[in-house]
Amino acid sequence: MSILPRLLPLALCLLLPWAPTHAQEPASITTEALSDLQVRSIGPAVTGGRIHDLEARPGNPSTIYAATASGGLWKTTNKGTTWQSLFDDQPVSTFGDVALAPSNRRVVWAGTGEQNNRQSTAWGNGVYRSIDGGETWTHLGLEDTRHIGRIQVHPRDPDVAYVAALGTLWTPSEARGVYKTTDGGETWDKVLFLDRHTGVVDLAMHPDDPDVLYAAAYQRLRRTWGFNGGGPGSGLYKTTNGGDSWSELTDGIPAGDKGRIGVATTPANPDRVYALVQHAEEGGTYRSDDAGASWTKVNDLNPRPMYYSHIEADPTDGDRVFVMATEFYMSEDAGQTFTQMPTRPSYDVGVHSDHHTLWIDPGDPEHFYLAGDAGLHESWDRGQTYSRINNLPIGQFYAIGVDMRDPYRVYGGMQDNHSWMGPSATRRWKGIIDDDWKQIGFGDGMYQQVAGPRAVFVGSQNGDVSRVDPVTGDNMAVGPIEPEGEEYRFDWVTPTHVSRHDSSTVYLGGSRLFISRDQGDTWTRTKDLTKDINRDSLSLMGVPGHEEMLSKHDGTAGYSEITTIAESPLTPEILWVGTDDGNVQVSRDGGESWTEVGRHIESVNDTTYVSRVIVSSAGEGVAYATLDGHRDGDFAPYVFKTTDFGQTWTTITDGLTTENAGSVNVIVEHPDNPNTLFLGTEHALFVSTNAGQQWTEVESGLPTTLYDDLKIHPREKDLVVGTHGRSLWILDDTTPLAEWSTAAKNADAYLFSIQPATIHNFWKNTSYRGQASWAGENPPFGALINYHLGAPADSVELVVRNPDDEVVRRLDGPTETGEIHRVRWDLAHPPPPTEEEEDENGDSGVVQPDTILPELEYPLDPKGPFVQPGTYTVTLHAGDTEKTETVEVRGDPKIALTAAQWRDRESFLLDVLDAQRTAFHAAQRADSLHERLQSRAEDETAPDELSALADTAETHANELVDLRGEIYGLASVFNWSYVTQPSLRPPTATHRQRFERLRDRLRTATTDLEALAEDARASLD
């Protein structure tokens, strides 16, 4: 069946400009007002993400600290069974190194800003220190260093530390070199500085003499167009007096320009030093056996040094040394020969490549942790086999997409870890587990554009694009091919776009805009829409682009390329593109002709990278552009708006700063209200409810990380958040933000529209997975009711009525003013009464644990019966104010029940619910009566019949408790109770017969109880 008829009404709506009404007058919003709208993490964790450094406690390898590229700093105290994120609320989330003080296990040092030189490298703000094992942190300055390569802590004094600071990757600066503190970071001395382009990437300490250190100086510079990874500033330096003076080590080290250098020492042979040296002719592995006085090249091994140069010496054997790179290598003869470790028999099988750090257990050197671009692995046999620790949700997503299935799937492209598809929700009790995520693409995953239920355009780096069937996995490469003698250019994160007006039309951005009208089978192209700058004419650190450089342009295949594509929601004729060299082009005839309007944007360099352009539904000429200047050393946020097709632009950055936001990666507009915008930046997520006039940070449980892509689902109105460091998140139902207005803000009480809700049962289809497995969170089950109080109210009640105007549920709500409150109705009648379970062990001497992991996804107490599908009204009572909205309750689409069957089910279960209440209260009365009679019967003056009455009351109480259990048991066949899933189907004849018997017994039991109570009253009187 074609989906076009279903899409036609939506398309017609999109063709009409959005017209505000008086009630929709825009208003600003605060972070505090959003605090009750909490996000949920959906993962994935199975893919891992880049870890730069890993440290464990010698003698206690159960405690591990993992420093990630952009996903924060993590700690485990149980060998990775569970993890704690330590930096969620800090200003940055990127790390180059973490160091543990040998003399005080509670002191931890953290250097921010990854030390790699990628085009996607995140930057930090200096050094942090914790004196309580990572629970709290103190920022110690060195903000402008931006990237920390290594921290070495004095073995006997935790207040003495040395920091290897690379300095900013993008521009020359003074804030680089080696810094030293002797007072725990309160003050710093720069003890080694070479020049404004040369920082220090690695630092090793002599195992026996902490005044002896080896520093690897590294000259490098990256810009938008390329990379120069070496120069005369690079070299290996040594101090013997704690940094007071330094000398360059040159005997045996190749002369001339050098690049990145890695250095390592070992307590097994304190004067032995290993180094990986990048050099045009003599690069490789070097060794010194005299504390650096002389060096010998022992091996050519040093793969892709700008990204790796990681070397680690075994602390128990000075001849054993490891090199981490694309592959993993070990030498047992001091570097003379290396063995490639058996990590993967083939691409994408075994242990992921791209290794960055190794921690070897000094108490058992066959045991080590190996980490890199795909997370963390552990080996107990010195690297012959590995187990994967895959419960860290630190995926680095570039771009995401969503489809229209129910539940909808989320598609995402990840740095180093391919492209993936996973559900936004499942019916699993556990949530969204690892196996719910399916790999749908290879390479470095990029844009994911959904063209229909059987076609997703999956992008990978530098222009590769495939049309993938998400049902079968069929994978067809569909990118355009250059004419003879011509070479197309594509950005690392190549943008694609599927037309919202015609899903057969697909756009692909390179140096030109490529357009397909048949889902990628054939392509046409526009003219070159970039500035077409020849990067051979540009210099890096004084070296002209046409000359040789170390690691020349590594990671940057080209320059002058399209980075973003936008199509108007009102007409397919209006197209926009932005480029990495500063162009913003607009077409008003479907791509036939173009006008460059980026030149009208002021306050930024005219070649500033354009991170995103979007077109508004507010009018054909309304668009937004975000620019990212960090590749020029400018970390400020830039957001611009035009209402005249780019002839003029207005800066809209109120509320955004370099500190709270950083550079801007993405902007999206809400499909229901163009005044509502979301902005993803280097550090946080922001929202504007007045078309960008003012921006507010969305905290809502989100961590500090890089926010690279955002999508608002057109049906559910969920905001799907793609982060470059903390995987994927969802803010369910953004309706309150789309409907936020002066009317909503100023009203004494305001009730927002309620999204439809579907009845279903969760399936407990996983069993006993221990405590280490990670699962994404399902959305809150039921109808989400959102309201705002502008005036104080003593109480808030939400009353739900069925189509017959009968009350089915009453819910209490928070009374705080100034917040959007969210209350969940579980689509059910009230639950039956329950009582807390008594400790079964009593005084047996067994103590129950305070915490048992994993935490339960849902409470185990019995639930009330579901209502039948239909349209229900929800009335908000707040003080003297009443507001009413409707909510559509839908039946489970996977179970075919008629309206009559739903009515029959609900009616039966309401009778059962009445019986549950009767049995519960009767059992309580019988128990109370027994206690009173027993207490009086124990009195020596009590008549003899009281003892007999007490025994009879006890018998009645026990019988009623048993009967109550049987009635509750019958209810649990249909209503949630404990962990096993019930049935949504109507009762059978057997269920009805069983209930009638129970109800008859209950009538008899309650009658007998009343008679007993009368006898008791007479005896007690």
Side-chain angles (χ1 to χ4, degrees), residues 650-680:
T650 303
T651 300
I652 50 169
T653 54
D654 185 19
L656 306 175
T657 68
T658 301
E659 290 72 29
N660 72 355
S663 60
V664 178
N665 301 317
V666 59
I667 184 172
V668 295
E669 181 181 274
H670 201 287
D672 294 348
N673 185 351
N675 287 321
T676 301
L677 304 167
F678 293 93
L679 196 74

Side-chain angles (χ1 to χ4, degrees), residues 690-911:
N690 51 16
Q693 294 179 40
Q694 189 265 339
W695 294 96
T696 296
E697 184 174 351
V698 180
E699 294 179 350
S700 301
L702 285 168
T704 301
T705 191
L706 286 62
Y707 291 84
D708 269 23
D709 202 12
L710 305 169
K711 289 288 185 293
I712 300 174
H713 196 273
R715 183 183 63 227
E716 269 75 2
K717 315 304 179 187
D718 297 346
L719 175 67
V720 185
V721 180
T723 75
H724 198 79
R726 289 294 296 273
S727 293
L728 302 173
W729 301 72
I730 293 179
L731 176 59
D732 295 292
D733 186 14
T734 59
T735 300
L737 297 176
E739 295 182 359
W740 186 255
S741 62
T742 54
K745 183 177 183 178
N746 296 331
D748 289 349
Y750 192 92
L751 182 62
F752 298 96
S753 300
I754 305 171
Q755 291 292 310
T758 300
I759 295 169
H760 71 81
N761 281 325
F762 290 104
W763 187 356
K764 182 65 172 65
N765 59 359
T766 61
S767 178
Y768 291 115
R769 293 199 162 199
Q771 285 82 24
S773 64
W774 190 92
E777 187 179 353
N778 272 323
F781 175 78
L784 300 181
I785 304 168
N786 303 288
Y787 64 92
H788 177 266
L789 300 181
D794 293 334
S795 64
V796 168
E797 185 182 46
L798 295 156
V799 180
V800 183
R801 290 181 171 84
N802 64 17
D804 295 328
D805 203 34
E806 299 168 330
V807 174
V808 297
R809 197 68 178 271
R810 297 179 184 273
L811 302 166
D812 293 330
T815 58
E816 292 83 3
T817 59
E819 295 181 30
I820 298 174
H821 294 293
R822 173 163 285 179
V823 175
R824 180 181 65 90
W825 173 43
D826 61 5
L827 312 183
H829 292 271
T834 58
E835 56 189 5
E836 291 186 10
E837 294 184 6
E838 296 182 2
D839 185 356
E840 295 180 358
N841 296 296
D843 297 326
S844 66
V846 177
V847 178
Q848 292 294 316
D850 294 331
T851 302
I852 303 178
L853 297 177
E855 294 182 1
L856 293 172
E857 284 74 12
Y858 308 99
L860 301 182
D861 51 303
K863 307 297 186 297
F866 283 129
V867 299
Q868 59 183 291
T871 300
Y872 291 73
T873 60
V874 177
T875 302
L876 168 69
H877 297 273
D880 297 329
T881 303
E882 288 189 8
K883 297 289 182 181
T884 299
E885 288 287 341
T886 61
V887 57
E888 180 186 355
V889 177
R890 297 168 176 169
D892 189 336
K894 296 182 180 295
I895 298 179
L897 296 182
T898 65
Q901 288 175 309
W902 278 109
R903 286 195 301 272
D904 185 44
R905 182 185 190 278
E906 182 184 25
S907 177
F908 172 78
L909 290 174
L910 286 176
D911 288 342

